[in-house]
Amino acid sequence: MARIFSGIQPTGIAHLGNYLGAIQNWVALQEGNESIYCLVDLHAITVWQDPPALRAQTRTNAALLIACGIDPSRSILFHQSAVHAHTRLAWIFNCVARFGWLNRMTQFKDKAGKDREAVSTGLFVYPNLMAADILAYHATEVPVGEDQSQHLELANDIAQKFNHDYATDFFPVIHPRIIGGTARIMSLRDGAKKMSKSDTSDQSRINLTDDNDTIAQKIRRAKTDPADLPDHPEKLDGRPEARNLVGIFAALADITQAEVLRLHGNRGFGHLKERLTELVVEKLTPIREETNRLAADPTHIDTILQHGAARAAAIANPIVAEAERLVGMLPAA
């Protein structure tokens, strides 16, 4: 079995884009693989977080993942900060990675913007922690979208340099598990931007915990253009909001965009939005209800995460201890 690692930030609430782009694939990957799924709270604090909110959102997102189908008895589900092997290996990787590698990372440039001198150093070195997240488990595959495979390149560069510097083949090559056909869900307010938890407008996304009325309101208000829906996907070119709504419908109904347009093309957006609302409500209602049931017992969620952390540490601690030995550190007492 392949050992697969993936993580999600626990800030905000997971939304429809997270579900269609990642979480439903995580659920499928539980079959036939050793799956390790992590709420990356250490990554979250690279920008300031309100402590009570971070704790609450970590629990809520853990409940959401379980409600979506992540089975803690089949997969390892835990919060990153509970397994200290991540930070131990990240420090080694801070010393292996080169400043120039990190300085070229586009995510840092995008997040820092013009105020690079004012952002946290954690935001700058987060790719080293990301590499440690994966390599602390000798994970060989990470599920990513087709536009994200370059994010693993630095992790492989770090692993390769470690192996070279210490004359070993200790760390394996990480392969992207490209999720074919994964929907790329965009903002409901701007079809050129990905749906994001960090967007200041809650109207831009459908949260997995939104009630039915909120879902209906957000879809009804979703940005469109003046023209009718076309009868063929090729005619969606240059119409990002139309393509986004059609894509969401196709992903949820498990049909092609061409089939969506055969059903709803050559008419205004009203009909599509009504049917899309029904589809989203049908899909998210059981997830929301199960999330609410689980989140009502935070002690139970904590127990699940702590049990997952113990299982994760049992894998990661020996691997990181060996990395420390290779570097020249004495064993811990």
Side-chain angles (χ1 to χ4, degrees), residues 13-278:
I13 299 298
H15 53 66
L16 188 63
N18 298 134
Y19 177 76
L20 293 174
I23 297 171
Q24 68 173 0
N25 295 312
W26 291 9
V27 173
L29 288 170
Q30 292 179 118
E31 187 66 36
N33 298 293
E34 183 182 7
S35 302
I36 303 172
Y37 298 131
C38 182
L39 293 150
V40 289
D41 51 354
L42 295 174
H43 284 291
I45 63 169
T46 56
V47 295
W48 191 88
Q49 304 293 333
D50 176 65
L54 179 60
R55 282 189 285 271
Q57 290 168 1
T58 301
R59 291 186 176 110
T60 298
N61 280 295
L64 267 170
L65 291 176
I66 297 168
C68 287
I70 299 298
D71 183 350
S73 67
R74 298 173 66 195
S75 299
I76 296 176
L77 176 64
F78 70 106
H79 55 303
Q80 183 187 26
S81 60
V83 179
H84 297 163
H86 289 248
T87 49
R88 288 159 53 199
L89 187 58
W91 179 254
I92 293 174
F93 286 172
N94 282 343
C95 301
V96 170
R98 304 293 91 179
F99 185 90
W101 299 355
L102 297 174
N103 207 34
R104 289 190 293 270
M105 292 296 290
T106 56
Q107 278 199 350
F108 173 72
K109 294 176 182 177
D110 291 344
K111 290 186 177 182
K114 297 178 180 179
D115 202 17
R116 295 180 62 175
E117 298 298 318
V119 299
S120 75
T121 54
L123 189 63
F124 185 69
V125 301
Y126 91 91
N128 299 338
L129 176 57
M130 179 189 69
D133 294 336
I134 302 164
L135 291 165
Y137 300 94
H138 276 187
T140 54
E141 296 192 21
V142 176
V144 294
E146 292 180 1
D147 61 336
Q148 297 173 309
S149 59
Q150 75 273 19
H151 296 173
L152 300 184
E153 292 176 5
L154 180 66
N156 277 323
D157 288 343
I158 292 171
Q160 184 178 9
K161 190 172 190 306
F162 181 98
N163 289 346
H164 176 269
D165 289 352
Y166 297 101
T168 182
D169 60 355
F170 183 63
F171 286 116
V173 174
I174 308 164
H175 300 282
R177 174 72 75 95
I178 302 295
I179 307 299
T182 298
R184 191 165 188 261
I185 306 303
M186 313 305 282
S187 165
L188 297 180
R189 307 304 298 160
D190 182 352
K193 293 168 51 179
K194 285 186 70 174
M195 189 176 285
S196 172
K197 290 188 286 185
S198 61
D199 195 308
T200 55
S201 172
D202 192 59
Q203 295 295 312
S204 68
R205 58 187 169 266
I206 296 173
N207 304 304
L208 296 184
T209 54
D210 282 344
D211 60 38
N212 295 349
D213 289 342
T214 301
I215 291 169
Q217 180 193 74
K218 288 181 177 180
I219 294 175
R220 187 167 59 249
R221 293 178 176 177
K223 185 179 178 182
T224 57
D225 57 50
D228 286 350
L229 283 164
D231 57 5
H232 195 277
E234 290 180 358
K235 297 178 183 178
L236 291 170
D237 291 348
R239 302 179 63 186
E241 285 79 25
R243 181 179 294 279
N244 189 39
L245 293 179
V246 170
I248 293 172
F249 194 108
L252 286 171
D254 196 22
I255 59 177
T256 66
Q257 292 190 13
E259 289 175 293
V260 175
L261 292 174
R262 275 200 295 273
L263 293 169
H264 304 291
N266 294 320
R267 65 177 90 182
F269 283 89
H271 186 265
L272 176 68
K273 285 185 173 184
E274 288 180 11
R275 301 288 81 76
L276 180 58
T277 297
E278 293 171 0

Side-chain angles (χ1 to χ4, degrees), residues 252-312:
L252 286 171
D254 196 22
I255 59 177
T256 66
Q257 292 190 13
E259 289 175 293
V260 175
L261 292 174
R262 275 200 295 273
L263 293 169
H264 304 291
N266 294 320
R267 65 177 90 182
F269 283 89
H271 186 265
L272 176 68
K273 285 185 173 184
E274 288 180 11
R275 301 288 81 76
L276 180 58
T277 297
E278 293 171 0
L279 194 56
V280 174
V281 166
E282 178 186 353
K283 191 71 175 182
L284 296 193
T285 295
I287 292 173
R288 180 184 67 245
E289 291 178 348
E290 179 63 4
T291 298
N292 291 339
R293 186 189 72 80
L294 290 165
D297 187 355
T299 301
H300 179 57
I301 295 295
D302 288 355
T303 299
I304 290 172
L305 292 176
Q306 289 160 7
H307 179 64
R311 293 170 63 198

